[in-house]
Amino acid sequence: MNYWLMKSEPDEVSIDDALAAPKKTVPWTGVRNYQARNFMRDQMRVGDGVLFYHSSCPEPGIAGIAKVASTPYPDPTQFDRKSKYYDAKATKEEPRWMLVDVQIVKKIPLVSLAQMRERPELEDMLVLKRGNRLSITPVEPRHWKAIEKLLSRSG
DNA sequence: GCCAACGTTGGC
DNA sequence: GCCAACGTTGGC
């Protein structure tokens, strides 16, 4: 089993939006970066752990624990002319963008970016690396465990 | 709003 | 294939 961190802008899909969705599950639409797509398409497995991260907002940080809830399938927004994620070069026969469904396991007290930066054991998480802009990054098991430990400590 | 970092595009 | 210009991300 692998672990991932997935960024969502709460203005678009927040942890509360995802919790309110049927089966607490949302399709991870709108990824338009090949590296991030490839993680979903090639490496994610149903049941993988996901850190649900809020980005581009007043309080960036990890807002929930989730899991991969589907195998990859084409992102429907790439075919939707009205969507800002529409991609004229994608066809149903040859879709360009693949996604997975993500199911919330639990909402957590926000582990803010600032808090994450304070923890030496999280120092080399990819998401904290300078200049990192990838919206999906793999998370090492030791980092996952360190975050679980932080959560159990805070209750 | 600023700006560093980095991905993408397109001319050559 | 190179690389400058441009666009986007995302924290601050």
Side-chain angles (χ1 to χ4, degrees):
Chain A
M1 147 141 148
N2 291 313
Y3 300 106
W4 308 92
L5 182 144
M6 300 175 79
K7 295 180 188 172
S8 183
E9 299 188 14
D11 283 352
E12 294 205 15
V13 182
S14 70
I15 184 80
D16 291 327
D17 295 333
L19 274 175
K23 297 182 185 172
K24 302 179 185 177
T25 300
V26 289
W28 209 260
T29 54
V31 169
R32 294 295 180 268
N33 169 283
Y34 290 104
Q35 235 184 312
R37 177 205 66 182
N38 292 350
F39 285 138
M40 291 198 283
R41 188 189 63 185
D42 305 332
Q43 289 186 242
M44 285 191 184
R45 297 292 178 267
V46 171
D48 279 2
V50 173
L51 300 173
F52 190 108
Y53 182 93
H54 281 172
S55 74
S56 295
C57 58
E59 270 201 298
I62 301 167
I65 305 294
K67 61 184 180 183
V68 174
S70 78
T71 52
Y73 63 96
D75 180 341
T77 64
Q78 70 192 299
F79 309 124
D80 178 0
R81 286 178 179 280
K82 281 171 283 184
S83 168
K84 70 171 178 173
Y85 299 120
Y86 176 68
D87 183 343
K89 291 179 183 164
T91 64
K92 301 238 171 172
E93 294 70 31
E94 285 191 75
R96 179 179 289 202
W97 305 107
M98 304 292 280
L99 54 67
V100 297
D101 289 343
V102 172
Q103 180 174 36
I104 304 302
V105 175
K106 60 177 175 182
K107 182 176 175 176
I108 62 174
L110 188 83
V111 180
S112 72
L113 181 58
Q115 282 174 278
M116 292 169 72
R117 290 199 192 285
E118 281 171 10
R119 308 301 317 176
E121 67 271 29
L122 299 180
E123 185 177 34
D124 48 353
M125 275 189 83
L126 287 176
V127 73
L128 301 184
K129 290 264 163 80
R130 176 183 171 80
N132 168 71
R133 296 185 312 160
L134 252 191
S135 65
I136 299 177
T137 47
V139 171
E140 290 179 33
R142 63 194 169 93
H143 292 142
W144 181 276
K145 283 175 196 148
I147 287 162
E148 282 188 329
K149 199 169 172 185
L150 277 182
L151 291 174
S152 64
R153 206 177 300 161
S154 68

